[in-house]
């Protein structure tokens, strides 16, 4: 079986250094808010290209804390609107709702799967305070048009960079383009921990301070509580593991790129729509997405032939029970992607033989 993602193999690649790092923490007797967090936050902010990085418990929290901090700072208030892609993982939208803000869904461009910059302006109202772009599948969602709209309407630009560690826009890394970015280090992400972990990157000193406080009980100083916060800290073991894996992120992403190039040049089956990639640096290939009208058949065919695939995502956020108020709305492109998308095996540990095998099996598929 060619796995969608062989996490055991990913971890094994760095086992010696990971074991060294974790036992260093185990033996140190210090497990939270210590040197490992400090080091990883410094290294990750340098990697992304921002002044500040604040570690937290997971990627959803990272996004929640960005909006929460803007609310605490008086930049946003409950009832304000935030533009977000309709075609995204639910976490992007949950982070907005969680803060009493109103998510305003915008359809994707069917060629890139990213929020359609041409459809953003018509969604802007006097209540709009921010645009949350999601670099979905690892591909840069930012365009100059989006930057111009943020300037014109005085909107905050927030990035959901959960899937795009290492992706660049004109040389600049995603996660450093907007006012703030949320990162997830869920184990399967390009930079993955051995459990839950997340971070915010930003150049805004005050925002970073408020986030550090709200994610730590709302505390600005030990036993002094300025905000009604929560406990959402990044633990020392995960920080140490992430710091090891960060060193190899570019190398890992390079391998993802090679796999993607092989897929794109090798898959010739006319029933399968390949991703359109104009700039290979503007894609971190977290997910290699293809589309086909007979998606479920293709999934079953691949399964039978020993290739594991996953759908990202089978039910769009506006059709979920948790957002009942949107259930009778139609976002046709988002729904089309949900019906046609299939994610092929993609990881830095895939061998050429595995990639060639997936290509051969796909090309033999008769829809
Ligand atoms: C994974 C992911 C998140 C959430 O990250 P967690 O660490 O699982 O909380 C948010 N947004 C997107 C687009 C994701 O893929």
């Amino acid at each position: 079986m060619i796995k969608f993602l062989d996490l055991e193999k990913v971890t094994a690649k760095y086992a010696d250094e990971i074991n060294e790092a974790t036992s260093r923490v185990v033996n140190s007797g210090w497990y939270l808010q210590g040197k490992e967090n400090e080091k990883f936050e410094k290294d990750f902010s340098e990697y992304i290209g921002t002044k500040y990085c604040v570690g937290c418990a997971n990627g959803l929290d990272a996004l929640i804390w960005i909006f929460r901090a803007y609310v605490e700072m008086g930049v946003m208030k409950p009832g304000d609107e935030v533009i977000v892609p309709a075609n995204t993982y639910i976490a992007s939208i949950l982070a907005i709702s969680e803060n009493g803000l109103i998510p305003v869904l915008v359809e994707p461009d069917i060629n890139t799967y990213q929020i359609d910059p041409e459809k953003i302006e018509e969604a802007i109202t006097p209540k709009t305070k921010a645009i949350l772009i999601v670099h979905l599948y690892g591909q840069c969602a930012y365009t100059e048009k989006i930057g111009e709209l943020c300037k014109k309407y005085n909107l905050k630009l927030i990035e959901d960079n959960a899937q795009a560690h290492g992706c660049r826009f004109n040389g600049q890394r995603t996660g450093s383009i907007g006012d703030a970015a949320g990162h997830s280090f869920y184990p399967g992400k390009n930079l993955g921990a051995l459990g839950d972990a997340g971070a915010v990157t930003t150049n805004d000193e005050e925002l970073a301070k408020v986030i550090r406080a709200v994610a730590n009980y709302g505390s600005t100083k030990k036993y002094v509580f300025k905000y009604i916060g929560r406990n959402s800290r990044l633990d020392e073991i995960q920080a140490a593991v992430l710091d090891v894996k960060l060193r190899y992120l570019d190398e890992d992403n390079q391998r993802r790129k090679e796999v993607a190039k092989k897929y794109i040049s090798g898959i010739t089956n006319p029933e399968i729509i390949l991703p359109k990639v104009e700039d290979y640096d503007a894609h971190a290939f977290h997910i290699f997405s293809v589309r086909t009208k007979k998606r479920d058949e293709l999934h079953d065919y691949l399964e039978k032939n020993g290739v594991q695939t996953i759908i990202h995502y089978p039910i769009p956020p506006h059709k979920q029970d948790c957002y009942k108020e949107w259930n009778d709305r139609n976002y046709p492109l988002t729904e089309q992607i949900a019906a046609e998308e299939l994610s092929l095996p993609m990881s830095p540990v895939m061998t050429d033989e595995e990639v060639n095998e997936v290509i051969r099996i796909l090309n033999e598929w008769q829809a």
Side-chain angles (χ1 to χ4, degrees), residues 57-63 87-93 132-137 160-164 182-187 189 195-199 286-287 312-313:
N58 56 66
L60 171 59
D61 276 4
L63 293 167
N87 183 48
T88 184
Y89 180 55
I90 195 115
S92 323
I93 300 173
L132 172 59
I133 55 171
V134 181
H135 305 297
L136 196 70
Y137 306 147
D160 181 339
N161 202 44
Q163 301 189 356
H183 305 264
S184 164
F185 307 119
Y186 175 81
K189 298 286 159 80
D196 277 314
H286 173 59
I287 285 167
H312 293 94
Y313 298 91

Side-chain angles (χ1 to χ4, degrees), residues 208-219:
K209 262 193 202 150
V210 178
I211 289 173
R212 199 176 288 289
V214 287
N216 183 31
Y217 295 103
S219 171

Side-chain angles (χ1 to χ4, degrees), residues 122-348:
E122 64 203 45
I124 295 174
T125 77
K127 286 189 164 179
T128 310
K129 289 291 157 64
I131 303 175
L132 172 59
I133 55 171
V134 181
H135 305 297
L136 196 70
Y137 306 147
Q139 184 165 20
C140 180
Y142 180 78
T143 64
E144 262 141 27
K145 167 104 196 188
I146 293 176
E148 283 160 20
L149 287 172
C150 287
K151 272 211 195 87
K152 183 171 168 190
Y153 293 96
N154 192 24
L155 308 175
K156 294 289 179 196
L157 179 64
I158 298 157
E159 298 172 78
D160 181 339
N161 202 44
Q163 301 189 356
H165 308 132
C167 171
R168 291 171 189 270
F169 174 82
N170 289 346
Q172 189 182 353
R173 291 214 199 271
T174 57
S176 71
I177 298 169
D179 294 285
H183 305 264
S184 164
F185 307 119
Y186 175 81
K189 298 286 159 80
N190 285 30
L191 178 59
L194 304 182
D196 277 314
V200 173
T201 52
T202 181
N203 286 315
D204 183 333
E205 187 181 7
E206 194 194 350
L207 186 79
K209 262 193 202 150
V210 178
I211 289 173
R212 199 176 288 289
V214 287
N216 183 31
Y217 295 103
S219 171
T220 44
K221 214 164 96 183
K222 199 160 191 186
Y223 303 131
V224 176
F225 303 96
K226 183 163 180 183
Y227 311 102
I228 297 175
R230 272 208 287 118
N231 177 357
S232 170
R233 298 179 297 221
L234 172 62
D235 73 67
E236 290 281 278
I237 289 189
Q238 298 304 343
V241 170
L242 288 166
D243 205 57
V244 167
K245 291 182 75 181
L246 178 59
R247 285 180 229 142
Y248 300 100
L249 178 58
D250 283 345
E251 192 181 308
D252 281 351
N253 281 345
Q254 187 54 37
R255 179 61 190 159
R256 288 177 183 271
K257 203 178 285 184
E258 285 166 18
V259 173
K261 284 185 175 165
K262 277 184 186 295
Y263 276 150
I264 288 173
S265 62
I267 301 169
T268 53
N269 192 325
E271 296 296 326
I272 296 169
I273 301 169
L274 294 167
K276 288 202 176 65
V277 184
E278 276 161 17
D279 176 0
Y280 276 83
D281 284 340
H283 206 317
F285 293 103
H286 173 59
I287 285 167
F288 191 93
S289 249
V290 301
R291 278 194 298 126
T292 173
K293 295 267 177 247
K294 297 183 180 161
R295 191 264 315 278
D296 295 339
E297 284 94 323
L298 180 59
H299 170 272
D300 294 349
Y301 163 84
L302 288 171
E303 184 89 4
K304 254 187 241 125
N305 285 278
V307 178
Q308 188 186 29
T309 56
I310 294 184
I311 298 163
H312 293 94
Y313 298 91
I315 307 168
H318 71 280
K319 295 294 182 195
Q320 299 284 355
D321 285 349
C322 63
Y323 289 119
K324 261 193 221 61
E325 66 275 28
W326 299 336
N327 285 177
D328 52 13
R329 286 200 203 162
N330 290 309
Y331 294 96
L333 297 176
T334 299
E335 287 158 34
Q336 186 185 345
I337 294 166
E340 298 182 353
E341 196 274 348
L342 194 65
S343 307
L344 302 184
M346 167 56 80
S347 79

